[in-house]
Amino acid sequence: MGPRRRVQPLLWRLQSFLASYVPLLLMAALAGFTWWLIKSTPQLEAPREKAAPRHVPDYRMQGFELERFSSDGRLLARILGHELRHYPDNDTIEIDQPELRAYGDKGELLIAQAKRGLSNGDGSEVQLLGDVKLHRYPSGDPAAVTDLELYGEFLHVFVPEQKMRSHLPARVVGLGGEMQVRSFEYSNLSGLLTFSGGGKAQFSAQPAGAPAAPAAPPASTPASSGAAASSPSAAVKTRR
């Protein structure tokens, strides 16, 4: 009969078990806590590309009226329209049925109308589009007779300088005749109309307001390629 096996006390076996496995359990708990901490920590967002602003109006005005004054307080221009829409993405203004009124330093009045208008944010430049009509009243009274009328499809207006130009054909009535021009530029302050590119013109032999010649009856003389003879460009001036 062999030697009898000694039975270890329960407390000793428990201490031996804890000494062997507790470090492993602690490491597992630490790893689990670290994983939980990583999952619970908010992640920094990656930089996002800035979305391009949409071409959507941020405000509208109906039945509006805008005025522009000189440095000395004189009224230079007035812009009216059916509806105005401002677009913040490019700081432009769209106008339905615009009417632009420019006032000269000697009281003359110029009125331009169109189906649609496009202006920059400060209103210093206005483009009139579609069925453009322009009338100039030397006395400043819209009920009086005009000395210049212009009809076309496009007009670029520089409000502070009171200059207007177009690269599209237009019909000019006044200055003693009628002209079909391909492009033009007009200054309301100087009354000077210049055009180039050729065209057709028909002038009365007896300009309006001039004394009648005793022997020459009124007649009309056709001309081509400008306002005078066959010149491809010319300049005429309204009465001031």
Side-chain angles (χ1 to χ4, degrees):
M1 181 176 177
R4 185 179 180 180
R5 186 178 180 182
R6 183 179 179 182
V7 180
Q8 300 292 340
L10 178 62
L11 181 60
W12 184 90
R13 284 185 294 170
L14 181 61
Q15 289 177 347
S16 178
F17 174 81
L18 292 177
S20 300
Y21 291 100
V22 164
L24 182 61
L25 294 175
L26 289 177
M27 291 183 65
L30 180 61
F33 176 75
T34 304
W35 177 85
W36 174 83
L37 186 62
I38 293 175
K39 290 294 184 179
S40 302
T41 302
Q43 299 296 319
L44 294 177
E45 294 186 3
R48 298 180 180 178
E49 293 185 3
K50 187 176 181 181
R54 296 183 301 164
H55 192 65
V56 177
D58 56 351
Y59 68 83
R60 299 171 182 261
M61 295 175 61
Q62 293 185 341
F64 70 94
E65 181 174 328
L66 304 177
E67 295 181 339
R68 188 178 184 91
F69 296 86
S70 64
S71 57
D72 59 359
R74 183 174 61 87
L75 179 62
L76 291 177
R78 179 180 285 121
I79 303 175
L80 307 92
H82 177 70
E83 182 177 278
L84 175 151
R85 296 176 296 276
H86 178 261
Y87 294 86
D89 59 328
N90 55 2
D91 192 24
T92 57
I93 296 172
E94 284 187 357
I95 306 171
D96 295 337
Q97 301 177 17
E99 177 177 304
L100 173 63
R101 297 193 171 203
Y103 300 88
D105 54 0
K106 295 184 179 180
E108 57 269 38
L109 171 64
L110 189 144
I111 300 178
Q113 299 171 313
K115 290 183 178 179
R116 190 168 65 93
L118 181 64
S119 170
N120 58 353
D122 62 1
S124 60
E125 292 186 28
V126 181
Q127 297 182 42
L128 301 179
L129 308 157
D131 195 21
V132 177
K133 302 181 182 70
L134 184 147
H135 297 81
R136 184 179 186 274
Y137 303 91
S139 65
D141 183 4
V145 179
T146 63
D147 65 348
L148 179 68
E149 298 178 10
L150 188 144
Y151 304 91
E153 291 297 321
F154 175 78
L155 188 64
H156 194 166
V157 183
F158 301 86
V159 177
E161 301 85 358
Q162 295 200 22
K163 288 185 177 181
M164 304 157 204
R165 65 172 62 134
S166 176
H167 63 287
L168 297 181
R171 181 169 68 96
V172 180
V173 180
L175 309 171
E178 180 175 333
M179 295 172 284
Q180 298 282 349
V181 299
R182 295 183 180 178
S183 61
F184 70 91
E185 181 172 327
Y186 176 71
S187 172
N188 189 44
L189 297 180
S190 65
L192 185 65
L193 171 68
T194 60
F195 53 93
S196 60
K200 297 180 180 180
Q202 183 174 341
F203 290 95
S204 172
Q206 182 63 53
S220 61
T221 304
S224 60
S225 302
S230 59
S231 172
S233 62
V236 289
K237 190 172 185 179
T238 57
R239 293 176 295 171
R240 293 176 59 79

